Structure formats: C-alpha cells, structure tokens
C-alpha cells in the first residue's frame, strides 16, 4: 500500500469517527438544550465541536478570509455555499453562526446518530422526490424563520461536485424560493476548490490548505517532513480558506424574480471560486460543469425544480 493511499484511508476513517463522535455529542446536547428551550443553537455548538475535533485529528481546517462580518447579519438569513465533497461538513463548522440550521433530504432522519441529531436540532427535512411536499416544507421553513429568527443553510447545487478545478454545478431554486418567500437576505459563502487536500477519485486526503483569497492570490508551498502544505503568503498553518460574499437582498423581489436571482447569484459565486482557485495549482477555469453525483449525501440543498 502506497503512502498516499494509506494517508487517504487513515484520514477518511478518522473523519468518519469524528463525525460519529460529534453527532453523538450533538444528540445529547440537543436533548439538554430542548429541556431549557435553547435547542436552536445545537447545530452551531455541534458544528464547532466537529471543527476543532477534525483540526486536531486530521490537520484540516477552513478559515474565513474575508466577509466574516456578513455572517453576523441580522437574523434571519438564508446562507448558501458551493458543495464539493464530504469535507463541506467541516466547512459548516467554520461558518455556522448561532441559531442556524441545515436542510437535508428526509431519508436522513433514520440514519443512526447523525439523523437523530439532525431531527432533534431543528433540521429542515425536504422530500426531494415530491415537489408538493418540498414546497410545503419550504413554506413552513419560511414561516419558522420569521417567527424564530432562525437562519437556514442550503447547498443550492443539491449534490457534491467532486470538482478537480474551479467549477460550480447548476443551482436548484429551493434556497431562492425560500429567501423570497421569507423576505430575507441571501448570504453566499464560497470555498476554493480543494482537490489538492481531498480528492476522492484520486484517493488523496492530505492535511493542508487550498488557495484562498487574501492580499494576494498567489500561494507558496512550505516543505514539511510529513506533507506539502499550501498556505497564503505570510501565513503558516494548515488552513483552507473561504470568503463570505455580501448579502443579497430579496425584500423587493417576487416569485417571478427567482430565475434571475438564481442565475446572478450563481454567476457571482462562480467568479469568486475562479479567483480563489485558478492560479495556485495551475488550474484553468473552464466552463462550469454539471454536478457529478457521488455516494449518498449527508447534507444537501433546496430541491425544488422549475
């Protein structure tokens, strides 16, 4: 067995162990917080626990390089992000503000530990195969967002891309219907392509960071006895970076505007991904490719079509 494959398997198993441990922790936290009427911060606390556990166990971490103040926008907001791989669960540990919940496909309710935690902590479950039920779920979520001042996070691509370069799949419209229905801002979060850190097809999983946006778009490598670590100029560490883009207001928009809103938001996010990811690893930005499906998804986004 080669060193790269051994590293991949070791970090993969460690990551799943961290996920099970933190999901189990989340179940108990959610139960306790429900008893005191504070269960809406359970996902924030559990996501943070996963962030620090993964950093200690695998050496992988995400860092917000710009726009962190937008995550502190007055609640509620709809937060959206690009979806590359299973590692995006770790991204949530970095960006999640308090009083935020994810959306997920309804079949996850029955998954031990993770599904239990998600159900107890206020996840918005969506039946992706039933448009009418999906619309009802989003209508209910919009009402709950306004009433409880609860943020919602959605991956609008709906599935992981496993992209090897700066790509972005087509967007489903659920997140945008929800934001317009609730009359709340959309806060886009963009993570650079991190295929040099995790590439499932190539069986590669390294500690280290991918290209991030900062004072300069250039990235240098720092030799290490164990792995090659990619860092920003002037930074030392094993961090992956992402910027938070300015909020997009939906207050003056109607359902008829959702198509244009979806298209313009995707274009701005793709431009940010290209600027983050293109030069450091000599990746040339081509046309965005459709999302390629992988194994069952852990957390996914709005699935309303049309």
């Amino acid at each position: 067995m080669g060193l790269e494959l051994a590293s991949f398997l070791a970090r993969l198993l460690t990551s799943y162990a961290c996920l099970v441990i933190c999901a189990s922790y989340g179940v108990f936290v959610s139960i306790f917080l429900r008893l005191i009427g504070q269960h809406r911060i359970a996902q924030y606390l559990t996501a943070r626990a996963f962030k620090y556990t993964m950093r200690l166990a695998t050496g992988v971490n995400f860092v917000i390089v710009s726009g962190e103040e937008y995550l502190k926008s007055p609640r509620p907001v709809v937060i959206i992000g690009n979806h590359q791989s299973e590692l995006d669960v770790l991204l949530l540990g970095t960006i999640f503000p308090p009083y935020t919940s994810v959306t997920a496909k309804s079949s996850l309710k029955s998954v031990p530990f993770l599904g239990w935690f998600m159900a107890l902590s206020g996840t918005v479950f969506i039946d992706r195969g039933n448009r009418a039920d999906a619309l009802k779920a989003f209508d209910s979520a919009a009402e709950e967002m306004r009433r409880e001042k609860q943020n919602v996070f959605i991956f609008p691509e709906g599935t992981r891309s496993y992209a090897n370069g700066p790509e972005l799949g087509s967007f489903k419209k659920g997140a945008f219907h929800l934001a317009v229905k609730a009359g709340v801002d959309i806060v886009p979060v963009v993570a650079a392509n991190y295929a040099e850190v995790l590439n499932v097809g190539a069986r590669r999983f390294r500690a280290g960071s991918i290209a991030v946006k900062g004072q300069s778009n250039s990235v240098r490598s720092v030799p290490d006895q164990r792995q090659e670590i990619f860092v920003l100029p002037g930074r030392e560490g094993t961090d992956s970076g992402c910027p938070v883009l300015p909020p997009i207001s939906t207050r003056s928009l109607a359902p008829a505007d959702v198509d244009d809103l979806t298209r313009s938001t995707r274009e701005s996010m793709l431009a940010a991904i290209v600027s983050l990811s293109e030069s450091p690893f000599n990746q040339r930005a081509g046309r965005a490719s459709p999302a390629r499906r992988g194994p069952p998804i852990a957390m996914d986004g709005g699935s309303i079509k049309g």
Side-chain angles (χ1 to χ4, degrees):
M1 182 185 296
L3 184 60
E4 184 95 310
L5 179 58
S7 174
F8 172 80
L9 293 175
R11 283 197 172 86
L12 185 66
L13 292 174
T14 301
S15 297
Y16 278 114
C18 290
L19 183 64
V20 171
I21 291 169
C22 290
S24 302
Y25 159 78
V27 170
F28 292 105
V29 166
S30 299
I31 293 172
F32 172 75
L33 291 175
R34 277 188 173 273
L35 294 176
I36 61 175
Q38 294 293 324
H39 68 283
R40 296 183 184 279
I41 64 171
Q43 292 196 13
Y44 163 75
L45 294 175
T46 306
R48 281 294 191 270
F50 186 63
K51 169 188 174 180
Y52 294 119
T53 303
M54 280 287 289
R55 182 168 190 172
L56 179 66
T58 68
V60 181
N61 190 43
F62 283 88
V63 170
I64 299 172
V65 295
S66 65
E68 186 171 5
E69 66 273 15
Y70 300 136
L71 292 172
K72 301 174 184 177
S73 300
R75 305 191 322 265
V77 297
V78 173
I79 306 171
I80 61 174
N82 55 317
H83 198 11
Q84 299 181 60
S85 76
E86 295 84 351
L87 197 59
D88 292 331
V89 180
L90 179 58
L91 172 64
L92 301 186
T94 299
I95 68 170
F96 248 42
Y99 300 98
T100 303
S101 61
V102 298
T103 62
K105 59 184 182 180
S106 55
S107 60
L108 283 174
K109 289 181 182 179
S110 59
V111 175
F113 302 107
L114 180 62
W116 303 340
F117 157 63
M118 295 173 77
L120 286 167
S121 60
T123 296
V124 179
F125 289 103
I126 306 295
D127 184 353
R128 299 179 65 187
N130 189 313
R131 174 179 167 81
D133 287 349
L135 285 170
K136 288 179 183 178
F138 278 111
D139 286 344
S140 175
E143 180 181 346
E144 185 173 353
M145 286 179 70
R146 292 191 296 263
R147 183 180 67 248
E148 302 293 343
K149 296 189 181 300
Q150 179 83 359
N151 301 330
V152 171
F153 180 91
I154 298 177
F155 289 117
E157 291 167 277
T159 190
R160 292 164 292 197
S161 65
Y162 294 105
N164 290 319
E167 302 175 1
L168 189 62
S170 59
F171 277 8
K172 294 178 171 60
K173 300 173 186 175
F176 305 94
H177 279 294
L178 175 60
V180 170
K181 179 78 174 178
V184 302
D185 289 353
I186 297 171
V187 178
V189 178
V190 175
N193 179 265
Y194 51 70
E196 288 294 323
V197 173
L198 174 63
N199 187 317
V200 176
R203 299 295 186 266
R204 177 170 61 241
F205 195 177
R206 301 170 177 168
S209 71
I210 54 179
V212 298
K213 185 177 181 180
Q215 294 292 327
S216 167
N217 282 334
S218 62
V219 171
R220 61 186 175 85
S221 61
V222 177
D224 184 87
Q225 293 180 350
R226 296 166 300 168
Q227 72 256 334
E228 187 176 39
I229 301 175
F230 296 97
V231 298
L232 280 172
R235 292 186 64 93
E236 302 293 335
T238 54
D239 299 324
S240 298
C242 57
V244 182
L245 306 185
I248 301 167
S249 176
T250 68
R251 286 173 177 78
S252 61
L253 301 183
D257 299 311
V258 166
D259 283 353
D260 288 339
L261 176 64
T262 303
R263 182 170 53 254
S264 62
T265 303
R266 181 183 176 278
E267 288 173 355
S268 66
M269 291 178 66
L270 178 57
I273 293 170
V274 170
S275 69
L276 285 168
S277 307
E278 185 177 26
S279 59
F281 304 119
N282 297 318
Q283 297 170 338
R284 300 185 63 85
R287 298 178 63 87
S289 65
R292 295 180 291 278
R293 291 188 176 274
I297 189 169
M299 297 181 183
D300 61 13
S303 56
I304 297 177
K305 299 179 181 178

